[in-house]
């Protein structure tokens, strides 16, 4: 339990700093907006380009990633349907709901948990790429089309779909990283070092912005009752249904070895990534459900991660 707890400490500290800064009014009323846009348009694309460009070919050709991806797809699709039909969210709102249910905090939490529980973070690196290159484009496409319709603007389906990578810095940075990785070339240090510095600011800045949003309060859209129900569904699917789905695929269906099964379940049990909050804020959506899902799932997963490690880990 102490290993898992130590991995959560930076999350709570940085979020708490953001809350204290917001409560004290140190950065002004626009701090959350400015920091959120910095993360989305500058720091996160830099981090993703650096990460993806250094990936090795064949990263996705691993049975453990297939099991993780199947669990993610099943739970995310279920979450999208529930938020769309049961909570009356539009396409964009349901996309954030699906993200809250199935997009794991693989970077700032997954890496330390994997190192301390699994012994290395190689599988987490594959999950990061899976989410960046496959899951994020789907979510961002739904957000883009959903907010386009919400604004009452005419649909430009094919053109907007084709130009989305150019207009979205996260997808663009990921695709550029894939192109660099495919060529086998290494960018010069004069380029990679500044990007490393910028990328290192993505996670802490996102957490500080998350803390600022806690002080600001809910962003509207749904009342406390409906939002609590949304949070409960998202957290339940994220911390219980996703690791269970991954276990069923990796264990009974695929028969993966014990160490691979443990890795798949542990990584699937990680809490909701703060990216859900960042995306909701960037697209002008109600940030309350995403923010609450991040915070509550992070707390609950401290228990579920420990239980998974105890149940599936080496007995000796």
């Amino acid at each position: 339990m102490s290993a898992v707890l130590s991995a959560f400490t930076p999350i709570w500290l940085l979020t708490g700093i953001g809350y204290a800064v917001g409560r004290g009014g140190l950065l002004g009323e626009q701090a959350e907006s400015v920091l959120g846009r910095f993360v989305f348009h500058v720091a996160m694309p830099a981090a993703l380009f650096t990460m993806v460009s250094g990936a090795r070919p064949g990263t996705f050709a691993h049975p453990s990633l297939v099991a993780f991806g199947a669990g993610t797809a099943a739970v995310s699709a279920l979450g999208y349907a529930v938020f769309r039909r049961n909570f009356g969210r539009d396409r964009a709102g349901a996309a954030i709901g699906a993200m809250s249910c199935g997009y794991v905090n693989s970077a700032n939490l997954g890496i330390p948990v994997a190192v301390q529980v699994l012994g290395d973070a190689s599988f987490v690196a594959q999950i990061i790429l899976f989410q960046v290159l496959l899951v994020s484009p789907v979510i961002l496409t739904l957000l883009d089309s959903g907010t386009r319709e919400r604004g009452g603007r005419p649909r430009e389906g094919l053109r907007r779909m084709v130009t989305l990578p150019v207009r979205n810095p996260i997808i663009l940075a990921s695709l550029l990283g894939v192109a660099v990785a495919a060529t086998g070339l290494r960018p010069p240090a004069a380029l990679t070092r500044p990007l490393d510095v910028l990328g290192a600011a993505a996670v802490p800045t996102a957490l500080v912005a998350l803390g600022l949003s806690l002080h600001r309060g809910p962003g509207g859209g749904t009342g406390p009752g409906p939002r609590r129900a949304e949070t409960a569904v998202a957290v339940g699917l994220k911390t219980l249904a996703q690791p269970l789905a991954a276990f069923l695929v990796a264990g009974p269906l695929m028969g993966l070895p014990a160490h691979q099964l443990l890795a798949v379940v542990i990584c699937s049990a990680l809490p909701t990534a703060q990216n859900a909050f960042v995306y909701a804020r960037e697209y002008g959506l109600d940030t309350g459900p995403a923010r609450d899902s991040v915070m509550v799932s992070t707390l609950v997963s401290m228990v579920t991660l420990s239980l998974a490690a105890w149940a599936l880990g080496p007995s000796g």
Side-chain angles (χ1 to χ4, degrees):
M1 183 67 175
S2 59
V4 176
L5 181 60
S6 65
F8 281 85
T9 301
I11 293 179
W12 294 112
L13 285 178
L14 290 170
T15 305
I17 289 172
Y19 177 82
V21 168
R23 186 176 179 84
L26 181 63
L27 300 180
E29 295 182 356
Q30 299 300 316
E32 181 196 334
S33 175
V34 172
L35 290 180
R37 292 184 66 81
F38 170 75
V39 171
F40 190 87
H41 292 277
V42 181
M44 193 176 293
L48 294 177
F49 174 80
T50 301
M51 184 184 308
V52 175
S53 64
R56 293 176 297 177
T59 294
F60 296 104
H62 197 285
S64 298
L65 192 59
V66 173
F68 176 87
T72 297
V75 172
S76 298
L78 177 60
Y80 182 87
V82 170
F83 274 81
R84 189 90 156 120
R85 299 174 185 175
N86 295 72
F87 295 124
R89 292 286 182 176
D90 60 12
R91 186 185 302 172
I96 293 297
M99 193 174 185
S100 300
C101 297
Y103 201 101
V104 306
N105 191 335
S106 55
N108 64 304
L109 184 57
I111 290 174
V113 166
V115 169
Q116 297 185 64
V117 177
L118 304 176
D120 70 85
S122 57
F123 183 54
V124 175
Q126 298 177 39
I127 290 175
I128 292 172
L129 293 177
F130 168 77
Q131 294 193 141
V132 168
L133 299 178
L134 296 180
V135 180
S136 286
V138 174
I139 296 294
L140 291 168
T141 299
L142 290 172
L143 287 172
D144 187 80
S145 61
T147 51
R148 183 77 172 176
E149 289 181 352
R150 175 183 292 190
R153 301 169 184 172
R155 295 186 182 183
E156 305 174 20
L158 181 59
R159 190 179 76 176
R160 289 189 63 80
M161 182 73 69
V162 172
T163 60
L164 179 60
V166 179
R167 294 182 288 106
N168 189 291
I170 290 178
I171 298 180
L172 179 59
S174 302
L175 292 178
L176 289 175
V178 170
V180 172
T183 63
L185 300 176
R186 297 299 301 168
L191 174 63
T192 59
R193 287 174 183 171
L195 291 178
D196 288 340
V197 174
L198 275 176
V203 167
T205 306
L207 290 172
V208 170
L210 181 64
L212 286 168
S213 77
L214 292 174
H215 170 69
R216 180 178 56 80
T222 59
R227 195 169 68 245
R228 280 197 293 267
E230 289 181 340
T231 302
V233 169
V235 172
L237 290 176
K238 179 71 221 58
T239 60
L240 298 176
Q242 187 172 8
L244 177 60
F247 172 81
L248 293 176
V249 174
L253 291 182
M254 298 182 65
L256 296 183
H259 67 283
Q260 293 183 19
L261 177 63
L262 174 63
V264 170
V265 174
I266 285 291
C267 291
S268 298
L270 291 168
T272 303
Q274 65 268 14
N275 297 41
F277 164 78
V278 171
Y279 289 8
R281 198 222 62 79
E282 176 63 25
Y283 279 85
L285 304 175
D286 176 16
T287 60
R291 179 197 65 196
D292 295 347
S293 297
V294 171
M295 299 303 297
V296 177
S297 68
T298 299
L299 179 61
V300 172
S301 66
M302 292 176 61
V303 177
T304 56
L305 281 167
S306 298
L307 289 176
W310 172 77
L312 300 176
S315 57

